[in-house]
Amino acid sequence: MTTLACDVAIVGAGPAGLSAAVHAADAGLNVALVDAGTQPGGQYWRHPDESHPVPDEGEGHHGWREFTDLRSRLYAHETTGTLTYLRGTQVWLIEPARPAGVVLRLAPATDPAPAAGTVTARHVILCPGGYDRQLPIPGWDLPGVMAAGGVQALLKGNRTAAGRVAVVAGTGPFLLPVATGLAHAGVKVAAICEANSPTGWLRNAGGAVRAPAKALEGVEYATALARHRIPYKIRTAVTAIHGTDRVESVTLSRVDAHGTAIAGTQRTVACDVVALGWGFTPQLELVLAAGAETTVDVDGSLIAVVDDRLASTAPGVTVAGEATGVGGAPMAVLEGELAALCVSEALGVAAAPGGPASEGRIRALQRDRARLHRFAVAMHRANPVPANWQDWLTPETLVCRCEEVTHGALCDAHTELGAADARTLKSFGRPGMGWCQGRVCGFAVSEIAARFANRPTSADDLRSMAKRSLAAPVTLGQLAALDFDDVHEG
Amino acid sequence: MPELSLTFDGAPLSARPGQTVGAALTDAGVVAWRTTRNAGRPRGLFCGIGVCFDCLIMVDGVANQRACLTPARGGMELRSGRETEAPE
């Protein structure tokens, strides 16, 4: 049972949270770092169990030296007691404290023991990260179909290959490391299917050329694709997945610029793994639960509204990393530092002796952030979710995997019951009401609702699918043990 | 490194130290360990990072644990099964 009071609580130990925690502790703040994982790095720097060291710990990683530097500083702060690192811990409730500050209620991520607790902080920095955005495809519920990030997590964290023959599909640059990672692990990658066309890059080159590290990564991947003879198919999508009790094959279709499958281009490819990713969805439930304003980003994701010091509209709540707009790990690390410096200034804590003058550093970080943001926008514009993806659906296609809600059932909720927005669709059809609480189908249901109503997807559609009364599943015992009177004392 | 010995539905299952239960099952060629409530469809790993709850498994008698997050430990008893209700 944890009952902790601190200057700043940071939620998430991925690139943004790890960076925020280290820089906040460097600045002299008393820090609590809460993370669902058992070790730092988040999804991007997921690595094998540190208690069983392997010689090639950073294999397949980018920015690994930056990570190990941040990690050793984190552990050093933990040793001196400047920082408390709550591993394997999820926040299931965020509430304002009185007279000021924020209370986080905790639950263990895996251990069923009811070792919950609270952290009360003067300020909180939410760095929840994101996960692969998904579009439902006929057959996507078959075992062997995985999120691209899940396939990557098996490789990076466990050194486990998800199967023998893989098709990697969706859109965006993340498909490349997943495919090359699989090939490196001995998996035959039958195809990478990129729904968009890389010529999209040319139109947005102004943003792209300002991030040369990314261009270098591109060359690396091109070399790896050639070496492993991985076919990279543009304007191609997996439009159906086949099998009885597991994946056996996929249908690949050539698609036009709007994602409409071109008749006569279909072909079947045998595989036992399908890795799917359509960009990323930021994890917004704590942002929403904190009462902070949200908006729709260029990529169609719901994100937190923040100012140039990363303060959200909720008092005492700063947001950093993918939740302010999907921008990749370097931008997340930068935002973590920016958030930590701005919060330490706001709390009236001087920068560490010998450290950089805070205001000057803040301005430099803000400039770099603007540059990385332009790059992210260019990426998003080059890799949109195809406008006509819903044409791939059949009435039997599951949209909500948890509640087993089909596209046909959603069509009925619209035509028979008049549902024309995500919230109503959710009430009538139950998508997003199961175990994952709409994390997986939320984007798709929002788009489906918008198409029914013949209008663009709105922030309200996305919000109604992203709002969760509890941010993580808790036992009834944990709910019952709540003493609501103690909430406002801390 | 010595392998860990677990069981899955009573049959032996080995895991490398540091692996998750989901990874150990994947290495053993097992791709599904529960069935859905309505259609009885097989499910296993999907998101692989604790978001989707598709990979729920019974671990040492405790239901609904995420296989993708649960570290494998020697002597663990894993059981496949049918999905139960989500907490409301």
Side-chain angles (χ1 to χ4, degrees):
Chain A
M1 184 86 178
T2 310
T3 313
L4 205 67
C6 60
D7 293 322
V8 59
I10 291 151
V11 182
L18 174 59
S19 168
V22 167
H23 287 100
D26 284 352
L29 292 172
N30 185 252
V31 179
L33 175 62
V34 185
D35 187 59
T38 51
Q39 50 191 32
Q43 306 310 329
Y44 185 76
W45 281 320
R46 183 183 282 274
H47 56 283
D49 186 350
E50 291 168 12
S51 55
H52 300 94
V54 291
D56 51 352
E57 192 189 26
E59 184 189 295
H61 278 280
H62 286 100
W64 186 247
R65 201 167 293 167
E66 177 162 39
F67 169 67
T68 54
D69 169 59
L70 288 169
R71 178 175 64 180
S72 43
R73 287 158 72 190
L74 172 74
Y75 291 163
H77 283 304
E78 192 183 17
T79 306
T80 62
T82 325
L83 180 148
T84 306
Y85 179 14
L86 301 169
R87 299 162 170 84
T89 304
Q90 289 175 306
V91 176
W92 62 273
L93 206 61
I94 180 169
E95 306 163 292
R98 284 196 188 138
V102 179
V103 179
L104 304 176
R105 295 197 172 268
L106 312 175
T110 53
D111 191 341
T118 59
V119 171
T120 306
R122 295 169 66 197
H123 204 104
V124 65
I125 304 176
L126 299 177
C127 309
Y131 52 86
D132 302 89
R133 180 159 58 186
Q134 293 299 336
L135 300 178
I137 295 170
W140 74 310
D141 55 317
L142 284 166
V145 181
M146 287 185 69
V151 169
Q152 187 79 327
L154 277 177
L155 284 172
K156 281 183 176 179
N158 296 277
R159 302 287 160 90
T160 291
R164 291 190 179 86
V165 182
V167 170
V168 179
T171 190
F174 182 55
L175 303 180
L176 299 172
V178 174
T180 54
L182 282 168
H184 189 76
V187 176
K188 177 178 158 43
V189 180
I192 301 176
C193 303
E194 164 60 65
N196 288 292
S197 158
T199 57
W201 275 100
L202 297 177
R203 283 197 299 278
N204 296 290
V209 291
R210 291 193 189 91
K214 286 282 160 194
L216 285 179
E217 276 180 32
V219 172
E220 235 175 83
Y221 291 133
T223 311
L225 295 189
R227 190 173 63 237
H228 295 295
R229 299 175 191 284
I230 301 172
Y232 181 69
K233 298 174 180 300
I234 59 163
R235 286 277 158 81
T236 304
V238 168
T239 49
I241 303 170
H242 315 284
T244 43
D245 286 331
R246 61 179 298 168
V247 175
E248 289 159 22
S249 66
V250 294
T251 298
L252 306 190
S253 302
R254 290 273 294 163
V255 294
D256 69 14
H258 308 291
T260 299
I262 299 166
T265 62
Q266 283 66 30
R267 69 187 188 91
T268 306
V269 173
C271 60
D272 64 355
V273 181
V274 184
L276 299 173
W278 297 92
F280 296 93
T281 293
Q283 197 127 271
L284 264 258
E285 53 265 57
L286 289 176
V287 172
L288 288 163
E293 275 178 37
T294 51
T295 187
V296 182
D297 199 14
V298 185
D299 65 345
S301 289
L302 193 68
I303 57 166
V305 172
V306 292
D307 64 15
D308 65 355
R309 299 171 82 85
L310 302 180
S312 78
T313 59
V317 179
T318 291
V319 185
E322 306 296 59
T324 70
V326 173
M331 187 160 166
V333 170
L334 183 153
E335 288 193 358
E337 181 181 356
L338 178 59
L341 293 184
C342 293
V343 167
S344 62
E345 279 214 345
L347 295 180
V349 180
S358 209
E359 253 326 304
R361 181 67 183 155
I362 285 172
R363 277 193 297 276
L365 290 169
Q366 285 169 332
R367 276 194 300 275
D368 282 351
R369 177 170 179 255
R371 178 179 59 85
L372 289 171
H373 178 73
R374 284 193 295 275
F375 172 70
V377 168
M379 288 282 237
H380 293 323
R381 294 219 165 108
N383 299 286
V385 168
N388 294 343
W389 69 268
Q390 294 178 47
D391 293 345
W392 311 337
L393 302 175
T394 67
E396 297 76 32
T397 307
L398 278 193
V399 174
C400 168
R401 303 166 63 93
C402 300
E403 291 295 289
E404 298 171 84
V405 182
T406 62
H407 185 243
L410 294 181
C411 291
D412 290 347
H414 170 61
T415 53
E416 289 166 25
L417 303 169
D421 62 83
R423 186 193 311 272
T424 319
L425 213 47
K426 186 174 166 182
S427 324
F428 293 166
R430 291 190 59 81
M433 305 267 273
W435 271 99
C436 93
Q437 291 284 293
R439 287 176 177 89
V440 176
C441 72
F443 176 80
V445 170
S446 299
E447 293 244 304
I448 288 168
R451 194 187 203 187
F452 285 156
N454 196 23
R455 58 169 175 78
T457 306
S458 74
D460 276 338
D461 290 317
L462 294 164
R463 267 184 217 120
S464 66
M465 296 302 294
K467 218 166 237 173
R468 288 155 199 127
S469 40
L470 304 180
V474 291
T475 62
L476 287 175
Q478 282 170 325
L479 278 180
L482 262 190
D483 173 4
F484 278 99
D485 287 333
D486 74 11
V487 172
H488 303 298
E489 286 175 8
Chain B
M1 214 180 290
E3 298 263 310
L4 305 172
S5 299
L6 299 73
T7 61
F8 172 62
D9 287 343
L13 175 77
S14 65
R16 292 190 299 278
Q19 270 191 318
T20 64
V21 159
L25 287 164
T26 303
D27 276 343
V30 182
V31 292
W33 42 86
R34 75 165 175 95
T35 51
T36 59
R37 213 161 61 235
N38 301 325
R41 299 292 298 152
R43 293 282 173 87
L45 294 176
F46 178 67
C47 81
I49 59 170
V51 171
C52 77
F53 296 82
D54 255 10
C55 67
L56 296 178
I57 193 166
M58 185 178 275
V59 180
D60 291 335
V62 182
N64 301 327
Q65 299 302 297
R66 286 172 282 184
C68 69
L69 298 183
T70 306
R73 279 189 281 269
M76 235 176 203
E77 290 179 14
L78 309 175
R79 293 222 159 262
S80 63
R82 224 176 143 73
E83 176 191 359
T84 49
E85 290 285 339
E88 287 292 337

